[in-house]
Amino acid sequence: MNFSSWPALLVVDVEGNGTNPPDLVEIATLPVRDGQPDTSTAGAWLIRPARPVTPFAARVHGLTNQVLADEPGWEETKDAVYTLLGTAWIAAHNAHVDYRALTAHLPQWKPAGVIDTLRLAKATYPHLPKYGLDALIEHTAPDLSQAPAQRHRATYDAYATAQLLITMAGHYETWDQLVAAAVPPGLPGAPEPEQEPTLW
């Protein structure tokens, strides 16, 4: 895989407050450049949600209402997130969730495309019993020594997902092959289905 042929791409991860639909409590954006996660230009935000964090969500990511009490709300955060996302491709694990949460909060945002590392993993490793982030970390054993925070925090999960994406990309010769395996139908960047030729 020639990483220099890749368009601008950000691995993203969001954490929510546990409500449905969720309020965002943490967002991480991590560029992949030349086959490496670029932490020097990464973005990370903690956000005070409009509705309280549920006890279940707080147990998962550790972001309690007390931790978030003095953080800015979404109104003060959204412009910076929108600016950093721009029109780049995004990648996320089970990308429907992150894409849906971000588009709900940023209706004007339109990424060039959406890579789902869960979908890519199923194409790349068809015989694994599980495809969650923990199972894939165990299977591929990426170097996570530089990952910030801990599992289930957006910054850590984005870093782990970036390393998984880079590892799996080595199984594909071209960007187009990667996209064909990784972009869910109906999301931005999905390959157009081939039209059957007609006689008229």
Side-chain angles (χ1 to χ4, degrees):
M1 170 64 75
N2 177 11
F3 286 103
S4 64
S5 68
W6 284 29
L9 181 140
L10 296 161
V11 178
V12 302
D13 190 77
V14 304
E15 301 296 335
N17 68 331
T19 61
N20 187 19
D23 292 340
L24 299 178
V25 296
E26 188 177 29
I27 302 174
T29 63
L30 178 61
V32 173
R33 291 196 174 93
D34 299 323
Q36 295 294 327
D38 181 7
T39 54
S40 68
T41 57
W45 297 268
L46 289 174
I47 303 152
R48 185 185 70 253
R51 294 168 292 175
V53 179
T54 66
F56 176 79
R59 279 196 301 276
V60 172
H61 50 52
L63 296 170
T64 63
N65 293 300
Q66 290 79 5
V67 168
L68 299 168
D70 295 326
E71 298 296 336
W74 178 243
E75 284 301 311
E76 298 104 294
T77 310
K78 64 181 183 181
D79 288 347
V81 176
Y82 180 68
T83 298
L84 197 53
L85 287 171
T87 57
W89 280 74
I90 66 161
H93 199 66
N94 200 6
H96 282 282
V97 174
D98 301 81
Y99 177 70
R100 192 161 47 230
L102 285 168
T103 51
H105 286 77
L106 293 170
Q108 75 278 38
W109 169 62
K110 296 280 188 294
V114 179
I115 282 179
D116 181 8
T117 51
L118 175 62
R119 182 181 177 87
L120 181 61
K122 289 179 178 179
T124 310
Y125 310 118
H127 303 301
L128 292 186
K130 293 181 179 176
Y131 292 94
L133 201 52
D134 289 320
L136 290 168
I137 289 170
E138 187 175 334
H139 180 70
T140 61
D143 179 4
L144 300 179
S145 60
Q146 302 300 310
Q150 67 277 343
R151 180 75 173 90
H152 296 298
R153 287 290 302 276
T155 48
Y156 183 101
D157 289 2
Y159 190 93
T161 301
Q163 294 287 38
L164 285 172
L165 174 62
I166 292 160
T167 299
M168 291 189 290
H171 294 256
Y172 299 85
E173 289 186 16
T174 66
W175 168 257
D176 288 344
Q177 287 177 0
L178 183 76
V179 164
V183 180
L187 289 191
E192 293 289 321
E194 290 198 13
Q195 299 296 320
E196 289 292 325
T198 60
L199 295 175
W200 58 88

